[in-house]
Amino acid sequence: MDWNCSHLHYDALSSSSSSSTAYCLLLQSLSLIPISHYLLTLAFLLAYFLYNFLELHLLEDLFSSFSGSPVCLTYNSCSQIYEGVVSKCKILHGNYLATPWLSSPHLQTVFLNFFGRPPHFKYRRQIFSTPDGGTIALDWLTSSDVSGGPLHMDDVVSKDESTPIVLVIPGLTSDSSSAYLKHLAYHTAKRGWKVVISNHRGLGGVSITSDCFYNAGWTEDVRTVVNYLHKENPRTPLFVVGTSIGANVLVKYLGEDGEDIPVAGAVAICSPWDLLIGDRFISRRRVQKFYDKALAIGLQGYAKLHQPHFSRLANWDGIEKSISIRDFDNHATRIVGKYETVDTYYRRCSSSIYVQSVSIPLLCISALDDPLCTREAIPWDECRANKNIVLATVKHGGHLAFFEGITASGLWWVRALNEFLTELHASRYMHVQKKISKTNTPLDSSIDQGPYVNVTGDGMVAALNNEPTTDNVEEIQVTEDTHHERVPGKKVDKQGELETNAKSGDSSGIAQTASAHDAEAHVITPFKKYLSQLSRQNRWSTWLLIYIAINTSWPLVGSALYLVFGKKLRDILPGR
């Protein structure tokens, strides 16, 4: 017994000794490896991590011989916009190759914001007053400004009705000095067109002159500026371009007003589409959180520029402590806008629910690797169902970047946009404003619960009591009903149906009454037809349910009736 214990103890000691010896031999072997090999391995692992973290695609481009990736076009098979316009655009039917040393969506986006290499020129500014007393800076650029031609000092811009106008809606906290907007303005003006950038309220070096700010779903400023430009240039083709949040505002505006807009065509670049999905996406991964924090800092800087307004209308302490866009909206939008939650604001201001109502030619360009606006939010089926929309998606490009060429001197989407607008302008498919139609609003919003709305910060809305007017824009009339869409030159009756204002001297009271009854009948007739059809369907459904109930419950009901009335029936019926 003692011998066995001693033997086991010896085996354990020898095993322990052999294990120690093995580790020692391993360490001695590892020490023989040169330290340069360790550093090389560490560098390889670090490069692998950065390659995946930054979503680099340099090797992919290398293996494809730097041929780029094709542009994927999504459109309706019966789309005349595609057949008559987009099919002629060579850029949209080619490939896009990112600048090799910017072969990452993050590198492209960061390079655009910190460097961008914008062209050098000088805008001509027009100060525009809105009906509520607000101030918007309209920065103009014409072909003469970029070609050294004669300047027209007597006016902001010459009124040449044959030259199209491109109105640009910037992104979040962006203004006309942003690099990507300078690229767009310069190259569009080079083509001989006029470009006007409508800076958001409080941006572009202009002070806030009212309690009305801008937000991700605030379309009133776009509507007012569009109608002003059309009034000043009634025969000039007007195109609208929206970038990032500006694209969301643009698509929402197009869906709200349907055909009743003086816009010949539009382009949406890198739209977030669904703000709720975008909010979830930007807080999902660590790299996206950097963008979230950076944008929150930008919003805080915007708020500090107009601190007296924010301190009075929002939770200033919460704004100062915000570390994300959602925090900023929670301490500003939800409080001032009277929203139950931040998600309510995101849902109601998302442009994806308005895609189905867009009634003019619209080109949408997005990058599938956009680090801010995820591909998950793109309304693929809605774009495919609408004959007026063509969606162009590129595998790489980042957010508003799409740098191309070895020197990264140009943006691919700017070339694609200008080619599309040129082909559209030369075609017969430009939209022409028709008679007044009912505004298409898929979802009533609490934004419109007052006769006028007061927007504060990025996404903050509150009601004002009065609606001031001004002489340099078309008058806006509204009534207090459940649906408040302010469309210049129109009025809203109690049923929310839009009517044209009576022309002075040509229309009598009888004609106005008749037109009102016709408009009412135009809406009520299909509604009654729908109710009648629904009633018929309900009657058929009711009889079907009765039939099913009788068949399924008859065995039980029949047995119960037999037990209750069986004896009486035997007494009444004659014996056999």
Side-chain angles (χ1 to χ4, degrees):
M1 185 71 177
D2 293 338
W3 183 85
N4 290 334
C5 291
S6 300
H7 182 71
L8 291 175
H9 181 66
Y10 174 78
D11 289 342
L13 290 176
S14 61
S15 176
S16 175
S17 177
S18 60
S19 299
S20 301
T21 304
Y23 281 115
C24 292
L25 292 175
L26 179 61
L27 291 175
Q28 290 177 358
S29 301
L30 292 176
S31 64
L32 298 176
I33 300 175
I35 192 172
S36 59
H37 292 192
Y38 287 108
L39 295 176
L40 184 63
T41 303
L42 182 63
F44 175 79
L45 294 175
L46 181 61
Y48 178 80
F49 171 77
L50 290 177
Y51 189 91
N52 288 275
F53 183 79
L54 296 178
E55 302 177 48
L56 291 166
H57 49 83
L58 180 60
L59 294 179
E60 177 185 339
D61 295 339
L62 180 62
F63 292 150
S64 64
S65 302
F66 293 99
S67 59
S69 56
V71 181
C72 179
L73 298 175
T74 302
Y75 57 91
N76 190 284
S77 59
C78 302
S79 173
Q80 293 181 337
I81 305 302
Y82 174 80
E83 295 296 336
V85 180
V86 177
S87 62
K88 301 177 182 179
C89 297
K90 296 180 180 180
I91 297 175
L92 292 176
H93 285 82
N95 291 354
Y96 165 68
L97 174 64
T99 299
W101 48 277
L102 291 176
S103 56
S104 163
H106 307 293
L107 294 179
Q108 290 222 34
T109 304
V110 172
F111 185 82
L112 174 67
N113 286 273
F114 286 95
F115 304 99
R117 296 185 177 179
H120 299 286
F121 57 85
K122 188 176 181 180
Y123 295 103
R124 281 183 279 173
R125 172 156 293 187
Q126 176 187 3
I127 301 300
F128 178 77
S129 298
T130 60
D132 65 295
T135 302
I136 296 176
L138 300 179
D139 288 334
W140 289 85
L141 191 70
T142 64
S143 58
S144 61
D145 298 324
V146 297
S147 61
L151 297 178
H152 302 272
M153 302 304 296
D154 56 335
D155 199 354
V156 174
V157 63
S158 60
K159 293 186 178 181
D160 181 9
E161 294 188 345
S162 62
T163 304
I165 297 177
V166 178
L167 172 65
V168 182
I169 310 171
L172 186 69
T173 67
S174 298
D175 57 23
S176 57
S177 64
S178 300
Y180 69 93
L181 291 179
K182 281 193 168 184
H183 277 282
L184 172 61
Y186 178 83
H187 291 286
T188 304
K190 268 287 189 180
R191 289 177 171 258
W193 290 18
K194 303 174 188 176
V195 182
V196 53
I197 299 178
S198 178
N199 295 283
H200 296 299
R201 300 186 183 210
L203 292 173
V206 176
S207 301
I208 295 294
T209 56
S210 71
D211 286 345
C212 192
F213 286 35
Y214 81 101
N215 72 13
W218 173 244
T219 59
E220 190 58 33
D221 284 348
V222 180
R223 184 176 293 107
T224 302
V225 173
V226 164
N227 284 299
Y228 163 74
L229 294 175
H230 177 63
K231 180 181 179 181
E232 294 294 315
N233 309 272
R235 294 185 178 86
T236 302
L238 177 61
F239 302 93
V240 184
V241 176
T243 57
S244 192
I245 286 295
N248 186 80
V249 174
L250 169 62
V251 176
K252 185 172 180 286
Y253 160 64
L254 298 179
E256 285 175 347
D257 288 22
E259 293 187 352
D260 185 31
I261 52 175
V263 178
V267 182
I269 307 296
C270 295
S271 174
W273 297 108
D274 192 309
L275 303 179
L276 186 60
I277 295 178
D279 171 66
R280 302 295 189 269
F281 170 76
I282 204 170
S283 61
R284 182 185 306 166
R285 299 176 56 198
R286 185 175 299 277
V287 65
Q288 264 70 42
K289 290 181 180 180
F290 287 115
Y291 293 103
D292 198 9
K293 175 63 175 179
L295 291 173
I297 293 175
L299 290 172
Q300 287 175 327
Y302 174 72
K304 290 177 181 178
L305 289 174
H306 315 289
Q307 183 174 350
H309 297 272
F310 279 91
S311 298
R312 178 167 50 88
L313 299 172
N315 180 6
W316 181 254
D317 292 336
I319 292 176
E320 286 188 313
K321 297 177 182 178
S322 297
I323 60 174
S324 66
I325 300 177
R326 186 180 184 87
D327 288 342
F328 184 89
D329 288 335
N330 185 47
H331 296 296
T333 308
R334 184 183 62 83
I335 297 174
V336 180
K338 309 299 182 184
Y339 290 102
E340 296 84 359
T341 64
V342 179
D343 289 351
T344 304
Y345 160 70
Y346 290 152
R347 288 191 184 96
R348 295 187 176 180
C349 290
S350 296
S351 62
S352 57
I353 60 177
Y354 293 87
V355 171
Q356 60 183 351
S357 303
V358 174
S359 302
I360 71 167
L362 173 63
L363 172 67
C364 304
I365 298 178
S366 294
L368 298 182
D369 64 352
D370 193 319
L372 293 175
C373 303
T374 173
R375 61 189 295 178
E376 300 170 14
I378 299 177
W380 301 91
D381 292 339
E382 289 83 349
C383 290
R384 186 181 291 107
N386 192 324
K387 298 179 181 179
N388 300 298
I389 297 178
V390 174
L391 172 64
T393 53
V394 182
K395 191 174 183 180
H396 306 295
H399 185 68
L400 296 174
F402 298 80
F403 283 103
E404 59 182 353
I406 193 64
T407 60
S409 58
L411 307 182
W412 175 86
W413 66 264
V414 172
R415 290 199 303 122
L417 177 151
N418 282 320
E419 184 185 39
F420 170 77
L421 293 182
T422 300
E423 293 294 341
L424 179 61
H425 180 241
S427 71
R428 59 185 180 89
Y429 298 105
M430 285 195 303
H431 171 72
V432 178
Q433 187 176 16
K434 301 178 182 179
K435 64 180 181 179
I436 301 168
S437 59
K438 188 177 185 300
T439 311
N440 297 309
T441 306
L443 184 64
D444 288 335
S445 172
S446 60
I447 291 179
D448 299 320
Q449 290 188 2
Y452 196 73
V453 288
N454 158 37
V455 180
T456 311
D458 184 80
M460 301 186 301
V461 187
L464 289 177
N465 295 325
N466 299 314
E467 179 190 1
T469 59
T470 185
D471 296 333
N472 64 341
V473 294
E474 294 178 275
E475 185 178 356
I476 299 175
Q477 299 180 358
V478 296
T479 57
E480 296 185 10
D481 55 9
T482 57
H483 181 72
H484 304 281
E485 288 292 340
R486 297 170 306 286
V487 183
K490 291 129 188 127
K491 60 183 179 180
V492 187
D493 62 14
K494 293 182 179 180
Q495 283 74 32
E497 189 67 24
L498 298 175
E499 301 175 357
T500 54
N501 289 334
K503 298 180 180 179
S504 57
D506 295 335
S507 302
S508 63
I510 298 176
Q512 295 179 28
T513 304
S515 63
H517 285 304
D518 292 340
E520 183 179 359
H522 179 71
V523 176
I524 293 178
T525 299
F527 184 68
K528 288 183 176 179
K529 182 179 179 181
Y530 172 75
L531 287 179
S532 177
Q533 184 180 12
L534 183 63
S535 177
R536 289 195 299 269
Q537 293 176 353
N538 286 339
R539 286 198 298 268
W540 281 107
S541 300
T542 302
W543 285 112
L544 180 60
L545 288 174
I546 293 174
Y547 173 76
I548 294 174
I550 292 175
N551 279 274
T552 55
S553 62
W554 177 249
L556 181 61
V557 174
S559 300
L561 291 176
Y562 179 79
L563 292 175
V564 174
F565 300 103
K567 184 177 180 180
K568 294 182 178 181
L569 290 174
R570 285 193 297 270
D571 294 338
I572 296 173
L573 293 175
R576 294 181 180 177

